[in-house]
Every structure is written in C-alpha cells, then in structure tokens.
Amino acid sequence: MHVHNLRRLAIASACATAIALSGGPTLAAITSRSDNLANPRGWSAVSGMDVQAVIDLAHRLPSVTSNEPDEPFCAPTGDLTDILHQDFDETLVSHGTQETSLWGSRAMGTWTLTLNRPDQTSCVVASGIGYSPNTNPMRFYHQAGMKG
C-alpha cells in the first residue's frame, strides 16, 4: 500500500474514531441533516483533550506522526489538503488565529479544523458535523472550543 493511501486511511480512521468517541450511547439515534445544520457539533481530534491542548501537542510532534490514538493526525500540508478534498469533499473556508484553518463540505456537512505549522505540516485538531456555507465560520471555531 502506498504511503499516500496509508495517510488517507489514517485520517479517515481518525475522523471515524472521533465521531464514534464523541457520540457515546446517543450515536445510535439518527440525526437528520436539518437538525445537524441547525445544531452543528464538534469534538477534539484526541479524545479527552481540549482543542488548545491538542494544538499545543501538535506543535511538538515530528513532521510525520505515528498516528497513535493519543496524537492528532499530522501530514504534509499538501497531503492533508488532498485527503480533506478528495475523501470528504471539504474545501478551505477560512483561516483563524493560532495558525488554524477551517475546512467544510457542503455535500457531506462535515467540517475540520487544522493547525498549519511552519514546517509545511498540518494536523487535524478538531472536526464535526453540521457544516453549512451559510453559517458563520466562527460558530465552528466555538464548537471546537476556540475563539477563532
């Protein structure tokens, strides 16, 4: 399997794990797309850590991580951009403070918050559901526990 495919699998796995961990027992209930759009939800990329702690950790990680469950997924920025676009149909929505970027998918209703490091590595620090291009991007930063 190519390195690119392994990275793609790793981010998809990380997002799926985050979704599963965030939902707990309520995940069994199906939430409609309109409910998700009305009430966007988000969670940290590392279970049990707030987003600021994940950002701090992501700054200290090597440029390519081992993708352990207690680490955010990091990859070369171009690779992560390709994965978000090709696998989740997410496009860049905005740049925020603390070297972060918000990505969102109109088709899938997902969103991802990334940390963009100076070494051309980006890390997923938060993600969620309920993205709409009609929603102020600050709402997703707030869902992640950030000021934007």
Side-chain angles (χ1 to χ4, degrees), residues 91-96 100-104 112-114 116 137-138 141:
T91 57
L92 181 62
V93 175
S94 70
H95 292 289
T100 59
S101 294
L102 176 67
W103 298 78
T112 303
L113 186 63
T114 62
N116 311 304
M138 292 303 295
Y141 282 95

Side-chain angles (χ1 to χ4, degrees), residues 58-59 61-64 75-77 115-123:
H59 273 293
L61 291 172
S63 60
V64 178
T77 299
L115 169 72
N116 311 304
R117 298 181 348 188
D119 66 356
Q120 302 303 308
T121 299
S122 292
C123 302

Side-chain angles (χ1 to χ4, degrees), residues 3 7 61-67 71 74-76 79 117 119 121:
V3 172
R7 289 184 179 136
L61 291 172
S63 60
V64 178
T65 67
S66 59
N67 300 313
E71 293 179 349
C74 297
D79 291 351
R117 298 181 348 188
D119 66 356
T121 299

Side-chain angles (χ1 to χ4, degrees), residues 6-21:
L6 287 173
R7 289 184 179 136
R8 180 172 281 166
L9 180 61
I11 193 169
S13 175
C15 290
T17 300
I19 291 169
L21 291 174

